[in-house]
Every structure is written in C-alpha cells, then in structure tokens.
Amino acid sequence: MAAWIWILIAIGVLVVLGLIVVGALRGREKNQRREQANELRQEADTRTRQAMERERVAQEQVEQAKESRRVAAEVGARADQIDPDTDTEPASEE
C-alpha cells in the first residue's frame, strides 16, 4: 500500500481515539455533575427540614405568648377587682 493510505488510516485512528477520549471525559463530567446535584438536593432537603422545625417551634412560642397574654389579662382584671382605688363599676348616670 502507498504511504498516503497509511497516513489516512493513522489519522482516522487518531480521530476515533480522540472521539472516544472526549466521550469518556464528557461522561465523567456528567457523573460529577449528577453527584453535585444530588449533594445540593440533600442540602436543600436538610435546610427545608430545619426551616420547618424552626417554624414549628416559632408557632409553639406564638401560642405560648398568646396564653401568657391571656393569663396576664386575667390577673390584671383580678387585680382591678381587688384594688379599692380602681373604679371597676360603670359610671352611673344621674
């Protein structure tokens, strides 16, 4: 065979090998991106669970604060009833 045919065959082999290497690198890059995406999803899930827990705790604190306000109002009303200097009776119209 002529030398130019061998050169074409060598170039063809190099192109095919180059395509195989590029394909392998792209596949590897895709796998790395998949792993990174999975890690980000796990982090997002963790943060979501933490946020939900904080919301639950905050709601409990709101309920406790409402209860404390109610009790304070009752105690204040009782104090007004007991205090002789507080006029708790409605003003009479004369």
Side-chain angles (χ1 to χ4, degrees):
M1 280 201 253
W4 64 273
I5 293 176
W6 285 109
I7 293 172
L8 287 177
I9 291 172
I11 291 173
V13 167
L14 289 176
V15 168
V16 169
L17 287 175
L19 291 174
I20 291 172
V21 168
V22 168
L25 290 175
R26 284 187 180 169
R28 185 173 163 191
E29 183 180 320
K30 282 184 182 180
N31 285 337
Q32 288 174 344
R33 291 174 117 186
R34 280 187 191 108
E35 288 175 10
Q36 184 181 14
N38 284 333
E39 289 173 5
L40 290 173
R41 283 186 189 100
Q42 289 175 351
E43 181 180 347
D45 288 344
T46 299
R47 288 178 184 244
T48 299
R49 282 193 301 273
Q50 289 172 345
M52 290 173 67
E53 177 63 18
R54 284 193 296 266
E55 287 174 353
R56 185 189 62 76
V57 168
Q59 186 60 38
E60 287 176 3
Q61 290 176 342
V62 165
E63 295 300 322
Q64 290 172 353
K66 286 180 181 178
E67 178 64 17
S68 293
R69 259 189 258 132
R70 185 188 63 75
V71 169
E74 288 176 2
V75 170
R78 179 71 180 133
D80 287 345
Q81 289 175 351
I82 294 173
D83 189 356
D85 295 332
T86 303
D87 184 19
T88 57
E89 299 194 16
S92 59
E93 295 181 27
E94 293 182 16

